[in-house]
Every structure is written in structure tokens, then in C-alpha cells.
């Protein structure tokens, strides 16, 4: 999903979503070098998600053994 940085307001970046609505997200959640007008991309990292799920499952299994 591509988001367009519309402006910065304090500690937030106001971004335009694909449906033309606007939301505020913390500036900490976007790259430091991002500026107004930049397009940022949000994706799901399936590999990392699966890795974390597996690690948590192992920890839970080890807890009960």
C-alpha cells in the first residue's frame, strides 16, 4: 500500500491513503529522511511474521515441557 506524506503536524505525519482519506501516524514510524510529498510503502513481511510466530510457538512449547 502506498501512502503519500501530505504534511507534518508536531510529532505526526499526515498521510493520504489510496482511498483519498487522511490519517495521522507517528513520525517515529516513518523513515527519518521522508519529507512532504514523498510516497512511502507499507507491506507485510510474511517471512519475518512466520519467523516470529514459530519462535513464540517454540517458547510456549518449551514453557510447558
Amino acid at each position: 500500500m502506498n501512502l503519500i506524506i501530505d504534511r507534518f503536524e508536531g510529532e505526526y505525519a499526515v498521510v493520504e491513503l489510496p482511498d483519498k482519506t487522511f490519517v495521522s501516524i507517528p513520525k517515529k514510524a516513518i523513515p527519518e529522511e521522508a519529507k512532504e510529498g514523498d510516497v512511502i510503502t507499507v507491506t507485510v513481511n510474511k517471512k519475518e511474521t512466520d519467523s516470529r510466530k514459530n519462535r513464540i510457538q517454540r517458547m510456549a512449547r518449551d514453557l510447558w515441557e
Side-chain angles (χ1 to χ4, degrees):
M1 173 189 305
N2 288 330
L3 311 174
I4 303 167
I5 300 174
D6 184 67
R7 64 187 178 277
F8 293 99
E9 293 181 350
E11 293 300 311
Y12 293 90
V14 179
V15 298
E16 183 180 349
L17 302 176
D19 67 359
K20 305 297 184 201
T21 59
F22 292 85
V23 296
S24 297
I25 58 174
K27 284 167 76 172
K28 292 192 283 187
I30 62 172
E32 286 184 27
E33 68 274 11
K35 57 189 181 309
E36 291 178 1
D38 282 351
V39 177
I40 56 177
T41 303
V42 177
T43 61
V44 175
N45 185 330
K46 295 278 190 188
K47 184 176 179 181
E48 183 63 23
T49 299
D50 290 343
S51 174
R52 293 171 60 89
K53 283 181 183 179
N54 290 334
R55 188 168 62 247
I56 290 168
Q57 288 173 346
R58 282 193 309 272
M59 288 171 57
R61 206 172 34 245
D62 291 347
L63 181 66
W64 300 110
E65 288 180 358

